[in-house]
Amino acid sequence: MHDRLTQSMRASHLLALLFVLAALGLAATGAATGDTFYLRLGTEALIFAGLALSVDLLLGYSGALSLGQALYFGIGAYVSALTLMKLPSFWLAMAAAFLATLIASVIGGLIANRVRGVYFALITFGLAQVMAKVVYNTRELGASDGMIGIPVIEIGLGPFSVSAGSPVGFFLIVLVIIMALYALTAYLLDTPFGRVLTALKANEKRVPFLGYSVWRARMAAYVLAGVIAGLSGALYPMLRGFVSPELMFFATSGNAVISVVLGGVGTLIGAIYGSVLLVILKSIIGSWTEHHLIVIGLLFMLCVMFLPKGLAGVVRPAIETWLSRRRLAPGPQADPAGLPAIVAETARTSP
């Protein structure tokens, strides 16, 4: 396919490549200098980028605003923590988080997808708040204090292993996982499934006339977004060594929405850039003043007013134009207008 969505995805892939190169540069610098703070901060930004990616999948492509996406992020984090405390295995923890969030997102989707618009946003918000209160009052899950003492594990990669306590090693592991989630999402959106989602956002009432089920498409997008958020959340206790009910609070979902808006709604890669930018801003501004949320709120308002398409939304059109010119560039047998030689010859000999 070579429509507008495909061209936009190719521009996003180029931005993703630049992001990976910058991340590898950070890893190399951290390894050379022995600095761990920025590597840990970058790892946290990548983990929350997975949550923002799931929000952008729903908001940017199906038009559904989820205010409770932290629910699946928190479920993934808690299931991962419980698994690691029983049996410290990275792959088992990821598999358990995947299965738990798959089941939870199916149940949540059956409830939330009964309504549309603002009611969908309110139901997702309510689901997250209810689950957060349940966890908050469950003593076996640490209640309000959360769960601490999660062991540092070794991540087996065939004949090699990487310790989750290694700043560089774990940063690279998280980078690979988050970019793999991005690649999977981008691939699915560049298929007929992605076209159906964009059709839902444009005009949901006409989709059934094309032979597609609106409910199935929305459920598939919701479940996929939930699993992405859950797998990202499963990485959090490996980084911080603890989990708390705050991971399910509205602030976590709100930060993901802010990240998407900052990076660019519907750009996919913009969610990752926006998350990194938000985490960096919170760290820098938080070191200056305890009222950093006020500053971030003002920046968010300015971005909505003056950069409604976000950072990636401003940059990506220029990349799309460049890619289009490269694809349409004249070959060795083309005339100055870019037409193939045989078409140009036909045009000149026609009466």
Side-chain angles (χ1 to χ4, degrees), residues 130-162:
V130 169
M131 191 63 187
K133 286 298 182 181
V134 170
V135 174
Y136 190 88
N137 292 288
T138 302
R139 185 172 301 176
E140 290 75 14
L141 296 177
S144 60
D145 296 329
M147 298 175 61
I148 61 175
I150 298 170
V152 178
I153 59 172
E154 292 288 329
I155 304 172
L157 301 171
F160 307 100
S161 65
V162 177

Side-chain angles (χ1 to χ4, degrees), residues 42-256:
T43 305
E44 181 178 339
L46 286 173
I47 291 173
F48 284 107
L51 175 61
L53 186 67
S54 70
V55 171
D56 194 29
L57 172 62
L58 291 175
L59 178 61
Y61 291 90
S62 67
L65 173 61
S66 174
L67 295 180
Q69 206 63 13
L71 167 64
Y72 306 108
F73 185 87
I75 290 176
Y78 267 91
V79 170
S80 174
L82 289 169
T83 304
L84 291 173
M85 294 184 73
K86 296 293 183 180
L87 183 62
S89 169
F90 172 81
W91 300 110
L92 184 59
M94 296 297 290
F98 170 80
L99 183 60
T101 50
L102 177 63
I103 296 173
S105 59
V106 169
I107 297 173
L110 291 173
I111 298 173
N113 281 305
R114 297 172 60 88
V115 293
R116 300 287 184 269
V118 65
Y119 300 105
F120 176 88
L122 291 176
I123 283 184
T124 55
F125 169 77
L127 288 173
Q129 291 298 105
V130 169
M131 191 63 187
K133 286 298 182 181
V134 170
V135 174
Y136 190 88
N137 292 288
T138 302
R139 185 172 301 176
E140 290 75 14
L141 296 177
S144 60
D145 296 329
M147 298 175 61
I148 61 175
I150 298 170
V152 178
I153 59 172
E154 292 288 329
I155 304 172
L157 301 171
F160 307 100
S161 65
V162 177
S163 173
S166 168
V168 177
F170 192 62
F171 174 82
L172 294 176
I173 292 291
V174 173
L175 176 65
V176 170
I177 292 175
I178 297 301
M179 296 314 297
L181 292 175
Y182 162 80
L184 173 63
T185 307
Y187 169 77
L188 292 175
L189 291 175
D190 201 22
T191 63
F193 169 70
R195 271 59 177 182
V196 174
L197 288 186
T198 54
L200 290 176
K201 185 178 180 180
N203 194 328
E204 181 180 314
K205 294 181 179 180
R206 292 189 178 183
V207 172
F209 295 99
L210 299 175
Y212 295 100
S213 170
V214 172
W215 185 84
R216 289 180 181 178
R218 285 196 174 277
M219 273 295 296
Y222 190 91
V223 171
L224 177 61
V227 169
I228 292 173
L231 290 176
S232 303
L235 298 169
Y236 187 86
M238 303 178 194
L239 172 69
R240 294 304 182 192
F242 74 94
V243 289
S244 69
E246 293 182 0
L247 294 176
M248 296 182 182
F249 287 176
F250 173 70
T252 305
S253 297
N255 286 336

Side-chain angles (χ1 to χ4, degrees), residues 238-325:
M238 303 178 194
L239 172 69
R240 294 304 182 192
F242 74 94
V243 289
S244 69
E246 293 182 0
L247 294 176
M248 296 182 182
F249 287 176
F250 173 70
T252 305
S253 297
N255 286 336
V257 175
I258 292 175
S259 298
V260 171
V261 173
L262 288 177
V265 178
T267 60
L268 212 60
I269 189 61
I272 298 178
Y273 276 98
S275 176
V276 172
L277 178 62
L278 181 63
V279 171
I280 292 175
L281 285 175
K282 288 174 64 177
S283 177
I284 295 176
I285 299 174
S287 64
W288 295 342
T289 174
E290 61 181 7
H291 304 296
H292 61 281
L293 294 179
I294 297 176
V295 179
I296 292 175
L298 291 174
L299 291 175
F300 174 70
M301 293 171 58
L302 291 174
C303 182
V304 171
M305 290 188 293
F306 299 105
L307 288 176
K309 295 183 178 180
L311 298 177
V314 172
V315 177
R316 198 171 69 167
I319 300 177
E320 291 178 25
T321 302
W322 177 71
L323 291 175
S324 298
R325 289 176 179 175

